[in-house]
Every structure is written in structure tokens, then in C-alpha cells.
Amino acid sequence: MTKLSININKIATVRNARGGNNPDVTKAALDCEDFGAEGITVHPRPDERHIRYSDVREIRPLIRTEFNIEGNPIPSFVELVNEVVPTQVTLVPDAHDAITSNAGWDTVKNREFLAGICSQFKSKGIRVSIFVDPDPVMVRGAKECGADRVELYTEAYARIYKEDPAKAIEPYVRAAEAAREAGLGLNAGHDLSLENLSYYIRRIPWTDEVSIGHAVICDALYMGLEKTIGAYLDAIREGYPEK
């Protein structure tokens, strides 16, 4: 069954808005695990406007599930990942001033660069996922780069889903099938929510992991973190047919 990894960036955003340590990001990560999350995701950026490099160092030895670090493999990010050795690193081509991730890698044009990064991280025993748009060419390119998985950028799916779920999922099914044919693991993330998650899983049940942050924290404002994580786990289960 698809694993749920909680991205805790938004919790750090709230903390940073006032300074101090409220809410406690490390405690939040551990609480997410206690509430059923099967992984914790962080996406540190150079300006540290949410998750800080120091957070990553503090959280890493305490995580009991899987720890996924996302980011653009600039030198400081590469150094951090090599230092803390997470379960998984997700390579994302976001600019330093991007509000949020907004595109996947061109794995063909950047093959040489990505292959070198993949090789370096895999030599440390880190699983490598490359963030890509739902394009079979980019998926197959990730395989050529040496990635273990791809993460499909699901912003377009979430946007189109409200009008036409079948149309929204179509390119993702093709990309997911390309990943399976290439022997790649499959992740998904960005704008997945309680509204659209079950349908995504139903159509692509071989998805290994979804990483969700913004929607989880928004829902938690009303339902509380524990109930929200439970609701997302239920949504994943609802995506699988009864046996």
C-alpha cells in the first residue's frame, strides 16, 4: 500500500513567523509518526524560510520511519545530505527564490549532472528520487540518470481534477506505467489533498509514496493533526479495491 510521508515545512513556517520554538518542529515530526505517518519529508531552502539545515540535523537521528530530504542539489544541499544520510533524497530543480516547487527536471538535458549526483548519493546508501513532470520521456531519462524512483509533480493533476478527474489523471497513468516498465519506484507529490488523493491511488495503485504537506497542515487547523493524518491514511486505503 502507498506510504504517506508528511512534509513538515509549513510547521516550520509558522515557527519562523514569530521566532522561538513554537511550534516545535522536531516534536511535530515525531508526533506525525505517532499519528500514523510512514515518513517525514523536509525541503530545506538556502534562505531557510521554513525548514532550516539545523532542523534537518536535529530531526534525522530521531526519525523512526523514513526520512526524505527534498531540494535542489546545490553544494550546501549535497553536503547536508551526505552528512545526515536520509533514507531518501528527492532532487528538485527549484530556484532559490521559488515560493514552492513548480516544475520537474529535464532529465535528458541534465543527464550528466543528475547522473553524478545520483551516483554520489547512492554510494552512501541513500535512495534517490528525481522530481519530474508526468512525461514518459522524463521518466525514462531519470532511469538513465541512475535514479531509484521518480516523484511525479502532481500540481496539474490537482488543478484539472476539479473539472475532469479522468482527464487530469491520464498523463500521470502514462508516466507511472513508464516508471513501472523502467523498473523505477514511484512517488507523487504537490497539491494532493483529501479531495483528490483516493482517486489518484485508485488509478495508480502501484504508487510507493505520496508526500503531502500544505494540505495536511491546512486541514489540521480544523481537524487537528492526529485526525487529519488518520483521514489521509483512510483516503489512501479507499483508493484500493476491497479484497
Side-chain angles (χ1 to χ4, degrees):
M1 188 173 291
T2 302
K3 291 184 177 181
L4 173 64
S5 184
I6 301 296
N7 186 318
I8 60 172
N9 276 22
K10 285 297 186 295
I11 296 172
T13 300
V14 175
R15 176 200 61 188
N16 295 354
R18 288 289 295 270
N21 194 41
N22 188 25
D24 186 323
V25 173
T26 299
K27 182 178 184 302
L30 299 179
D31 285 343
C32 286
E33 291 185 315
D34 288 340
F35 298 154
E38 296 145 308
I40 299 297
T41 292
V42 293
H43 190 145
R45 287 184 165 88
D47 61 8
E48 299 195 324
R49 62 181 180 269
H50 34 64
I51 287 292
R52 301 166 181 155
Y53 280 30
S54 59
D55 292 326
V56 177
R57 295 184 175 99
E58 182 176 345
I59 292 168
R60 176 64 185 108
L62 304 176
I63 293 298
R64 303 181 297 272
T65 58
E66 292 198 349
F67 192 41
N68 172 45
I69 304 179
E70 300 179 343
N72 193 333
I74 61 174
S76 59
F77 179 86
V78 171
E79 182 178 349
L80 176 70
V81 172
N82 282 327
E83 175 188 343
V84 303
V85 190
T87 314
Q88 175 177 270
V89 59
T90 301
L91 306 180
V92 183
D94 54 346
H96 73 279
D97 57 350
I99 295 175
T100 186
S101 304
N102 55 22
W105 284 97
D106 184 327
T107 56
V108 177
K109 290 183 178 179
N110 295 285
R111 178 179 173 181
E112 183 176 354
F113 171 71
L114 290 171
I117 296 294
C118 287
S119 177
Q120 181 178 165
F121 287 152
K122 289 176 71 171
S123 72
K124 303 275 288 188
I126 303 168
R127 185 172 68 230
V128 180
S129 177
I130 296 181
F131 192 68
V132 296
D133 295 321
D135 180 344
V137 174
M138 295 301 112
V139 170
R140 289 190 285 268
K143 175 69 173 182
E144 294 300 315
C145 293
D148 302 295
R149 293 186 182 182
V150 289
E151 178 173 326
L152 299 183
Y153 173 41
T154 48
E155 185 276 335
Y157 164 74
R159 174 169 38 83
I160 300 170
Y161 177 88
K162 298 175 183 179
E163 302 296 331
D164 190 339
K167 180 180 178 181
I169 198 66
E170 183 179 354
Y172 290 87
V173 172
R174 290 198 300 269
E177 288 174 343
R180 184 163 60 176
E181 291 167 1
L184 289 169
L186 184 66
N187 298 340
H190 207 285
D191 289 346
L192 293 174
S193 68
L194 289 176
E195 177 185 20
N196 58 44
L197 180 57
S198 292
Y199 183 77
Y200 187 94
I201 298 299
R202 188 174 306 122
R203 294 297 307 277
I204 311 175
W206 62 94
T207 302
D208 291 297
E209 172 190 290
V210 289
S211 176
I212 308 177
H214 184 79
V216 165
I217 302 308
C218 290
D219 290 332
L221 291 175
Y222 296 92
M223 295 193 292
L225 188 57
E226 182 172 8
K227 288 184 178 179
T228 297
I229 291 176
Y232 276 84
L233 291 170
D234 286 344
I236 290 172
R237 284 189 284 267
E238 289 168 7
Y240 290 92
E242 293 186 7
K243 295 182 179 180

